[in-house]
Amino acid sequence: VAQRLDGKRIAGDIQADVAAKVAALKARGIQPKLAVVLVGDNPASASYVRGKRRVAEQVGIESDLIHLPETVEEETLLAEIERLNNDASVDGILVQLPLPSHIREADVIERVDPQKDVDGFHPWNTGRQVAGLDTVWPCTPAGVMEMLRRERIPVAGRHAVVVGRSQIVGKPMAMLLLNEHATVTVCHSRTQGLADITRTADILVVAAGRPRLIGADHVKPGAIVIDVGINRVDGKIVGDVAFDEVEPVAGAITPVPGGVGPLTIAMLMANTVSLCERRRGLRGEAQ
Ligand code: NDP
């Protein structure tokens, strides 16, 4: 039976490291601050925002909530972001996605100052990621990498298969694994023979948003299975992996909930501190 990769515990370790860095910054009179922009009253988004602000408080990061109505005009939202860009006390700006359909997400992402882009979604940062330059990475794939590193799961030379190619998870996940010298295959909804491909994975990362997409037939015995999916089924949160079927086959597996989710929030805190240090030219010093 697979080892369970305990995202909650690892996230706690990351948060403890972040809290120590925040304390060191505070000792120098610097207060890291995250601005969270929430548009509308989507219950899932509101709950993610609450979770993020709670952890920020725990690690000593100040967080401001800018809550705008569902009907807000794009121009008003962009002006609000501009205000945060110009506010010297703000280190990181997070715009909770998805946004209402009358707002173009790409415009909003591009308006955030790349130096305050705590999610690492701005095309300027995407460019730096692809170019192999120092930058922040999207929190979810960064959290997966941090988990692999802390659990001492080797990546170099292994075959990593990523299911999903979104801008926020799949693509940066593939790039991060490639940077760590994995041989990477990316699958998506048009992939033919998904199981034949995923069965060759030493490390399988699934971020498709499809409950039970990955069953026992999709997994090589002993593989590391990372389930990024968050789906609500019959009032319960489940991943993209049929946990009951896959646990007896895999070498290690993340549960949902309690796997990748907590890591995402922990990395958001790490990114906030990293942007704070960077803007003040302290990067490396306070590590
Ligand atoms: P998207 O919907 O943006 O992307 C889903 C990807 O999966 C697409 O690339 C899509 O392919 C692919 N896909 C869909 N169906 C299949 C299929 N049957 N076979 C193979 N590939 C398929 O989702 P996100 O990347 O934003 O999120 C993915 C999941 O991760 C969701 O459940 C989301 O809730 C969760 N999530 C969890 C986070 C966490 O903190 N744990 C953070 C962010 C997301 P195509 O491109 O061809 O459409």
Side-chain angles (χ1 to χ4, degrees):
V1 172
Q3 174 202 346
R4 283 198 194 192
L5 297 168
D6 185 350
K8 255 190 172 158
R9 174 181 52 78
I10 302 164
D13 294 347
I14 297 169
Q15 282 159 215
D17 292 350
V18 172
K21 285 189 189 180
V22 172
L25 287 165
K26 282 186 177 172
R28 305 172 67 151
I30 300 167
Q31 170 62 64
K33 182 160 149 184
L34 174 67
V36 182
V37 180
L38 173 65
V39 179
D41 297 302
N42 176 319
S45 292
S47 138
Y48 290 141
V49 163
R50 272 196 304 277
K52 290 168 183 177
R53 297 192 71 214
R54 189 174 53 238
V55 176
E57 194 186 333
Q58 284 165 10
V59 300
I61 293 174
E62 193 180 330
S63 81
D64 274 1
L65 174 65
I66 296 92
H67 192 179
L68 301 168
E70 183 83 23
T71 52
V72 70
E73 289 195 21
E74 184 169 320
E75 276 313 310
T76 311
L77 172 57
L78 294 177
E80 194 56 41
I81 289 170
E82 203 58 60
R83 184 183 70 75
L84 297 169
N85 286 343
N86 294 324
D87 181 340
S89 73
V90 172
D91 296 294
I93 302 172
L94 177 149
V95 182
Q96 183 64 43
L97 302 179
L99 292 168
S101 54
H102 69 280
I103 294 172
R104 285 180 298 255
E105 266 178 20
D107 290 357
V108 175
I109 289 169
E110 270 200 285
R111 186 58 67 94
V112 174
D113 179 344
Q115 318 268 10
K116 297 189 177 187
D117 171 32
V118 75
D119 269 323
F121 292 162
H122 191 290
W124 190 81
N125 284 319
T126 310
R128 293 186 66 87
Q129 290 152 17
V130 176
L133 299 170
D134 185 36
T135 184
V136 289
W137 286 83
C139 302
T140 301
V144 172
M145 293 312 289
E146 191 61 25
M147 177 166 62
L148 295 174
R149 198 174 68 75
R150 289 184 183 239
E151 293 294 291
R152 297 198 166 75
I153 294 171
V155 175
R158 301 178 93 189
H159 186 205
V161 175
V162 179
V163 182
R165 56 172 164 178
S166 74
Q167 211 61 39
I168 65 170
V169 190
K171 273 190 208 170
M173 186 77 252
M175 191 63 61
L176 280 164
L177 288 161
L178 190 58
N179 285 354
E180 290 301 319
H181 315 292
T183 301
V184 182
T185 304
V186 182
C187 302
H188 46 78
S189 67
R190 314 276 184 100
T191 296
Q192 294 182 9
L194 181 68
D196 291 339
I197 298 168
T198 57
R199 255 200 315 272
T200 65
D202 303 308
I203 299 171
L204 176 59
V205 182
V206 192
R210 299 279 180 274
R212 301 188 80 84
L213 176 66
I214 301 298
D217 298 354
H218 292 76
V219 177
K220 174 161 88 177
I224 310 297
V225 180
I226 313 285
D227 189 353
V228 178
I230 297 180
N231 309 288
R232 280 180 178 75
V233 176
D234 301 330
K236 272 180 65 184
I237 303 282
V238 300
D240 292 345
V241 175
F243 190 88
D244 49 330
E245 269 185 35
V246 174
E247 193 184 26
V249 181
I253 187 167
T254 58
V256 178
V260 176
L263 291 167
T264 298
I265 300 188
M267 293 314 287
L268 175 67
M269 303 307 140
N271 278 359
T272 305
V273 169
S274 160
L275 291 179
C276 173
E277 291 172 350
R278 227 172 269 249
R279 259 191 339 123
R280 291 170 172 82
L282 300 173
R283 187 97 180 114
E285 246 188 76
Q287 304 281 325

